[in-house]
Amino acid sequence: MSEDWVKVVERRGQSVLISSYFYNGVRTKYFRKTLGVEHGIDHYLIVDFFNYYLESEVLRFQEAIKSEIESNDAKFISQALEQLTRKGEELTHLATTISRTKNLTAHPASLLQEFSELCLEFGPAMYFPILIEPIVEARALNIIQRRIPKETEKYFALLTASHQPTDGTKELVSFYRLAEMYHKNHRKITLPIKQAVDKHLRQFGWLAFTKFVGRPWTQRSIMARLEKIPNPGERLRELERQYKQEKIQVEKIFKEYQFTKAEREFLREVQHLAYFRTYRVDVYSKAGYLIKDLLRIISRRLDLTVAETVWLTYEEILSHLRRGKKFPRKIARKRQYGTWQLLFEKGKMTFQYEPPFLVKEQKLDINIVKGTPACSGKAEGPVAIIRGVKEFDKMTDKAILVTSMTTPDFVPLMQQAAAIITDEGGITCHAAIVSRELGVP
């Protein structure tokens, strides 16, 4: 079986709790329940934070999805994203309800059980966009090449990019307004500035809490970002204009090159898919942030800190809560700081702490790195390799940010960067969207 495992990406520092939701939620059981699709990813593997799936399963899934897209065109993608968005709204609503519950100590296990089930039902959102992306991008490229044979790459980037502001974009707009206010006040920290920062934190502080872990933004961290932003007013107006101008430009291109109604609908769903890739991570991040008080209560019952509890699977947490048992801190810390393997096999999760693991790390001798540009440009600078939130302090101004992928908590680092390089994601990923918004190659 080891020959069939394909490395997907490195998720350095991603907690076991969120992984147990993600990779159990992509099983056929939940694709069937949430999307009515009879295919899923029933096997998944994590070895030292490197993620693997079975190539045979992914190919079967993609063949089935390709058939659906060819039969129903944009309608299949539209309906799938609509169903997943509804499930995301349900999860956020439940997490909000939990955050407002006064007596969380009464039934923490039942609350976590309900929360966990919705996390699993939303699980297909994590891999659906990634698995269909090659199929969708190839079809989109074919459509654009037929209509615009010249400069296809240039138009492809514009016609398939998201033109809907994400919560991360809204945070940037709010931040630039705050920075403009701060600069107009001659960089003096007055009471109105402090109040504006507090309001910003209340509205967007959860963005730093990616996948149940992270460093909460504070007044000090926001003020540090404000100090590093030149010409915030100019950046604000440019960002506010960007989405409006791009929408107008897209419609002009559709009309000028006589795209059919079906072609326009398909490309609009590709744009929606680009937005959804960031939305799905935001849902889990916000939900995790909203249940932080519940996690504190659960952690006390397990005799752990919250930072240790997130290294348990949801099944382990529920099992120990129901039996009134404490969880061995030694094991939690071993997962937090050590090397281990976690195998997902049709709903069963199995840890292994000693080699040999199912796969061995392969080191490649590569001198040239190639990829797809999301925001064109050239940059030079020292390289900052950031594998997760624990390494954020390694980032310096005007460095080349290199990471496996970016999430909303990376935005302060991306603002510092001279350029951004990621291991995964096409022009629809979070890094691509934010790089265009910041004008960073």
Side-chain angles (χ1 to χ4, degrees):
M1 183 183 279
S2 62
E3 294 180 0
D4 206 17
W5 288 110
V6 175
K7 184 189 289 186
V8 188
V9 72
E10 180 185 12
R11 290 278 189 264
R12 184 65 51 181
Q14 179 167 293
S15 72
V16 167
L17 178 57
I18 197 66
S19 294
S20 69
Y21 289 139
F22 282 0
Y23 309 126
N24 270 316
V26 296
R27 287 153 51 199
T28 301
K29 172 183 177 179
Y30 291 106
F31 266 99
R32 183 188 301 119
K33 187 171 185 178
T34 302
L35 294 179
V37 174
E38 291 297 327
H39 294 274
I41 309 300
D42 291 317
H43 299 80
Y44 205 86
L45 180 67
I46 302 173
V47 179
D48 193 26
F49 295 104
F50 285 96
N51 292 20
Y52 303 80
Y53 54 51
L54 286 178
E55 185 176 32
S56 55
E57 276 191 337
V58 169
L59 291 175
R60 281 197 298 271
F61 181 95
Q62 288 178 327
E63 279 300 313
I65 294 301
K66 185 178 180 181
S67 176
E68 288 282 358
I69 292 174
E70 288 175 348
S71 300
N72 300 293
D73 211 23
K75 187 177 179 182
F76 172 74
I77 302 172
S78 175
Q79 288 177 341
L81 294 182
E82 186 179 321
Q83 288 168 311
L84 290 169
T85 299
R86 277 202 303 269
K87 194 60 68 174
E89 289 169 350
E90 286 179 38
L91 177 56
T92 305
H93 177 74
L94 174 62
T96 302
T97 302
I98 291 173
S99 73
R100 294 171 180 170
T101 301
K102 293 181 179 179
N103 188 12
L104 290 171
T105 58
H107 305 288
S110 61
L111 288 173
L112 184 65
Q113 175 67 56
E114 189 178 0
F115 178 81
S116 297
E117 187 56 33
L118 270 180
C119 280
L120 293 167
E121 290 176 12
F122 187 61
M126 292 312 297
Y127 257 80
F128 179 76
I130 296 171
L131 292 173
I132 73 168
E133 188 175 66
I135 302 165
V136 168
E137 286 193 357
R139 189 175 177 87
L141 184 63
N142 183 263
I143 290 171
I144 296 166
Q145 281 177 331
R146 285 203 309 267
R147 297 293 167 185
I148 317 173
K150 296 180 180 179
E151 296 186 291
T152 299
E153 187 175 299
K154 169 188 167 184
Y155 285 102
F156 179 78
L158 177 64
L159 295 177
T160 59
S162 170
H163 304 299
Q164 182 178 352
T166 64
D167 283 326
T169 304
K170 293 171 186 175
E171 190 274 335
L172 273 178
V173 169
S174 172
F175 175 76
Y176 287 146
R177 284 178 182 152
L178 186 58
E180 187 176 36
M181 178 182 175
Y182 177 62
H183 281 255
K184 284 181 178 178
N185 202 44
H186 308 290
R187 300 192 178 195
K188 293 180 180 178
I189 304 174
T190 60
L191 180 61
I193 295 290
K194 287 183 178 180
Q195 290 173 335
V197 170
D198 286 341
K199 181 181 178 182
H200 184 84
L201 287 170
R202 285 194 301 272
Q203 190 171 359
F204 298 108
W206 61 269
L207 284 167
F209 204 76
T210 300
K211 303 172 186 175
F212 296 11
V213 295
R215 298 176 181 176
W217 288 339
T218 62
Q219 271 203 356
R220 179 176 292 183
S221 64
I222 295 295
M223 295 307 301
R225 283 176 66 192
L226 292 177
E227 287 289 346
K228 296 176 181 178
I229 301 297
N231 307 316
E234 182 181 323
R235 293 193 178 196
L236 170 63
R237 282 174 279 281
E238 184 180 330
L239 189 55
E240 288 179 324
R241 286 194 304 264
Q242 178 181 326
Y243 282 92
K244 292 178 183 178
Q245 290 175 340
E246 286 180 351
K247 283 182 179 180
I248 293 169
Q249 195 175 356
V250 166
E251 292 306 316
K252 283 183 178 179
I253 292 168
F254 281 162
K255 187 174 182 180
E256 180 181 351
Y257 292 97
Q258 299 180 338
F259 282 77
T260 66
K261 182 181 178 182
E263 290 169 342
R264 295 183 190 199
E265 288 177 352
F266 185 82
L267 291 173
R268 287 193 183 106
E269 287 309 320
V270 178
Q271 294 165 12
H272 186 190
L273 188 66
Y275 165 80
F276 187 83
R277 279 195 62 154
T278 299
Y279 165 82
R280 76 204 206 284
V281 177
D282 286 350
V283 167
Y284 277 116
S285 297
K286 193 169 190 177
Y289 178 81
L290 288 168
I291 68 158
K292 61 185 184 298
D293 289 338
L294 176 62
L295 285 176
R296 288 193 191 103
I297 289 167
I298 288 171
S299 298
R300 284 198 294 268
R301 295 200 178 184
L302 299 178
D303 195 28
L304 300 173
T305 65
V306 173
E308 291 164 342
T309 299
V310 295
W311 294 95
L312 282 59
T313 69
Y314 67 90
E315 287 184 347
E316 289 172 329
I317 296 172
L318 288 170
S319 172
H320 281 72
L321 279 177
R322 286 166 178 157
R323 292 183 292 127
K325 299 285 187 180
K326 296 177 180 180
F327 191 88
R329 177 173 274 113
K330 184 178 179 180
I331 294 177
R333 288 185 174 177
K334 193 170 187 178
R335 296 174 186 175
Q336 189 174 6
Y337 301 109
T339 300
W340 42 268
Q341 170 183 288
L342 175 55
L343 174 65
F344 297 82
E345 194 170 17
K346 297 183 178 179
K348 183 181 178 182
M349 293 176 278
T350 308
F351 278 96
Q352 183 177 322
Y353 300 98
E354 300 295 335
F357 298 132
L358 286 175
V359 295
K360 293 180 180 179
E361 183 181 355
Q362 295 179 340
K363 294 185 178 181
L364 303 176
D365 185 14
I366 297 175
N367 296 316
I368 299 174
V369 178
K370 296 181 180 180
T372 304
C375 179
S376 60
K378 295 181 179 180
E380 291 184 7
V383 173
I385 300 175
I386 311 293
R387 293 185 173 87
V389 65
K390 292 181 181 180
E391 298 184 352
F392 277 11
D393 291 340
K394 290 167 59 177
M395 187 63 191
T396 57
D397 286 341
K398 302 303 177 184
I400 309 296
L401 171 60
V402 178
T403 186
S404 60
M405 63 172 287
T406 65
T407 43
D409 55 335
F410 272 80
V411 170
L413 279 66
M414 298 169 83
Q415 288 178 312
Q416 292 179 261
I420 302 161
I421 299 172
T422 63
D423 281 340
E424 72 160 298
I427 58 165
T428 64
C429 72
H430 177 266
I433 294 169
V434 176
S435 70
R436 288 191 289 267
E437 292 172 347
L438 297 176
V440 176

